[in-house]
Amino acid sequence: MASPNIPARILVLGIGNVLWADEGFGVRCVEHLAANWTLPDTVHLMDGGTQGLYLLPFLEDADALIVFDAVDYGLEPGTMKVVENGEVPAFLGAKKMSLHQTGFQDVIATAQLMGYCPEQMLLIGVQPVELEDYGGGLRPLTAAQIDPAVQIALTRLRDWGVYVQPGRTATGDLADPSIARDAYESGRPSEDAACRIGDDRFFPARV
């Protein structure tokens, strides 16, 4: 049986929208972690995307939570900041950048009200460089923080008694390989061929 400080079940979650440039940071972190490290079955890696309250059952099953996300901390773009436990909901809702961010704050608040929020939480966030780029990939400053962010998560996992080693972790809860970072960014059409601010099929008609 795990001690009070050693969680038995750990959820590692990346949240965000890969369609909007640096919004995809959290998802790309979990993708990188799964592609480069072997973790035991007690650790559940998941692309939470923008699922909001649909993530509640996964929090219910977890004793500890690690979240990767793009967060508006009000810092220099590309800056990484780590917050823990009770501070996590406050930072997730400090400034609304997109629908997913407030949604996940609501997920935590709902889990707390229902009495099954993970006892230990770690938010590993990066200040985004660019969000208003539909179909865009991570900016270099943001992408450079993926491996450091994953290393912070690995250190915490080791502190929690998890054995980690180089390799791969198979999970069915990541994005389809067709939108994995390399495939997604290398397959992006030119600016002339694809609108950068949204889906132009749904823009108001010009008078």
Side-chain angles (χ1 to χ4, degrees), residues 10-195:
I10 302 167
L11 175 63
V12 181
L13 188 64
I15 55 177
N17 190 336
V18 298
L19 297 180
W20 289 100
D22 289 337
E23 258 275 305
F25 174 75
V27 173
R28 299 312 187 196
C29 285
V30 172
E31 178 184 293
H32 181 79
L33 180 54
N36 293 279
W37 295 91
T38 298
L39 300 172
D41 292 341
T42 54
V43 180
H44 182 185
L45 300 184
M46 185 177 185
D47 169 3
T50 58
Q51 295 183 60
L53 292 172
Y54 288 104
L55 296 172
L56 271 173
F58 300 99
L59 267 69
E60 183 178 6
D61 287 339
D63 302 305
L65 171 68
I66 296 175
V67 181
F68 297 104
D69 194 12
V71 178
D72 189 351
Y73 292 116
L75 302 172
E76 287 295 315
T79 302
M80 186 163 57
K81 182 179 176 68
V82 178
V83 296
E84 299 189 53
N85 300 325
E87 292 185 309
V88 170
F91 276 96
L92 281 172
K95 292 184 180 180
K96 179 183 176 183
M97 293 194 304
S98 67
L99 291 176
H100 92 264
Q101 196 173 65
T102 299
F104 194 68
Q105 184 188 32
D106 291 342
V107 172
I108 293 177
T110 302
Q112 289 173 331
L113 285 172
M114 298 181 73
Y116 55 63
C117 190
E119 293 184 5
Q120 301 181 69
M121 295 187 289
L122 182 72
L123 168 62
I124 305 170
V126 68
Q127 180 76 35
V129 176
E130 178 61 65
L131 299 176
E132 300 299 323
D133 184 11
Y134 183 70
L138 300 183
R139 296 307 190 258
L141 281 175
T142 304
Q145 295 289 20
I146 291 177
D147 190 62
V150 167
Q151 292 300 321
I152 290 171
L154 292 173
T155 296
R156 181 54 56 92
L157 289 171
R158 293 185 182 102
D159 291 343
W160 285 337
V162 176
Y163 177 68
V164 298
Q165 60 180 336
R168 297 181 67 88
T169 297
T171 172
D173 290 325
L174 297 184
D176 187 272
S178 64
I179 57 170
R181 186 181 170 207
D182 288 345
Y184 178 75
E185 294 186 1
S186 64
R188 187 188 194 200
S190 68
E191 190 167 354
D192 291 336
C195 182

